[in-house]
Amino acid sequence: MQGSTKALMDPLSTRYLPLAQARLRDAADPLFSYRSEFFIPHHAGEDCVYLTGNSLGLQPKAASAAVQAELDDWQRLGVEGHFAAKNPWMPYHERMTSSLARLTGARPSEVVAMGSLTANLHFLMASFYRPTASRYKILTEAKAFPSDRYALASQLRWHGFNPDTDLLEIAPNGPGGTHLPEDFEAALDKHGSEIALMLVGGVNYFTGQVFPIERLTSYAQERGVLVGWDLAHAAGNVPLELHAWKVDFAAWCSYKYLNSSPGGVAGLFVHERHHGAETLRLAGWWGQDKSRRFLMEPDFHPIPSAESWQLSNAPVLSMAVHRAALDLFDRADAEHPGARRVKSLALSAALMGLLDRTAQTTGAALEVFTPRADHERGSQVSVRFPGRGKSFFDALTERGVVADWREPDCIRMAPVPLYNSFEDLSRLESILLELLTP
Ligand SMILES: *Cc1c(COP(=O)(O)O)cnc(C)c1O
């Protein structure tokens, strides 16, 4: 895709992606029509250049009818809706299963829509962080998303260990503050026998770096370490094969790339080899064997699937939105297999290209620190604007660009394939040229 992006570059223009060329690319994009399935926020009467699908995905237009349908059934049926609703609420979470399995490369028995991300990480660690006197450390990446670090440090304390010594954090020693997989492997070689759990973000929320999940999973497992991945920035963004990669467990949220509403229901994966009753779970009635759940017996018989990690009955309204959003992924992927990833790489390559070109033509110092190789990135492009503070970011916002600012000089932008366009990027380029031309 980088090649075809180059071919469209107009050598006579100071622009990388002139508007006419951007529109030609949109016209040739098989996913372009999906943009109209989403509400695009407006700024000064025009569509925003919305580049924060990595933080909060946009609302599918089908969401409100999906929620209204459940409200109507509740209004009409009351408690009978558990069985008599158009989509009965009792097994409501099952409506997400096949889509989540497809998006994460799992078997249907290995995934469930439930809970929220950080809470799910704790539930999963209750099962998979089982420290002993000799094997108790946790390996993670330095500069992990703060919630993940809080969760890991509190798990260590919860079990009587000390995060200062027992949380091994791999420093970002790669180019631009990225992580080197070799550094994880070296730590596993050195401390493997003391490490109980490795938990890492599959796509780093800050740099946008995609980790080699399969490689690090098997390297850790060969040293007796259980392996979990936080897929908050990976689910709906990059291809995943959790079953084939033999990942022990994973969790994600649905409100970023999966467009399923702020704080919307999350999801988790547990590899089928852990589904037996011998795996300890923090239990609740929704994890109870379905044929016995309403016998109201005192003993817990876990469903032999990831569903047994459920504690509570499904948040139906949130799941209605999730279903509406997942429908768009299912439809796009069925109509145009592979196109989401191809377009994601093309958009992010075009974004990096226009940033490079803007630096050249304006002399502005800016540095893309997301890895450039396709296999090491998804939709997100992270860029430093050294010497330009928050006022630069505010000027972008005033012109209708919705991006994400991180002190002291970083901006994260994530053009996503289902609703961003090349025209968005062309407009971004005009605005950058306006702001950065001396
Ligand atoms: C977004 C994100 C979270 C947020 O956690 P919630 O429990 O959904 O609030 C946690 N971890 C990572 C890596 C994230 O990117």
Side-chain angles (χ1 to χ4, degrees), residues 217-228:
T217 298
S218 66
Y219 204 90
Q221 287 170 343
E222 281 159 17
R223 283 147 191 85
V225 176
L226 283 161
V227 182

Side-chain angles (χ1 to χ4, degrees), residues 190-223:
K190 191 158 170 221
H191 304 287
S193 65
E194 298 168 340
I195 300 174
L197 171 68
M198 178 173 90
L199 181 76
V200 183
V203 176
N204 184 275
Y205 82 99
F206 184 61
T207 62
Q209 178 181 17
V210 178
F211 281 79
I213 296 178
E214 181 177 26
R215 167 177 159 186
L216 291 181
T217 298
S218 66
Y219 204 90
Q221 287 170 343
E222 281 159 17
R223 283 147 191 85

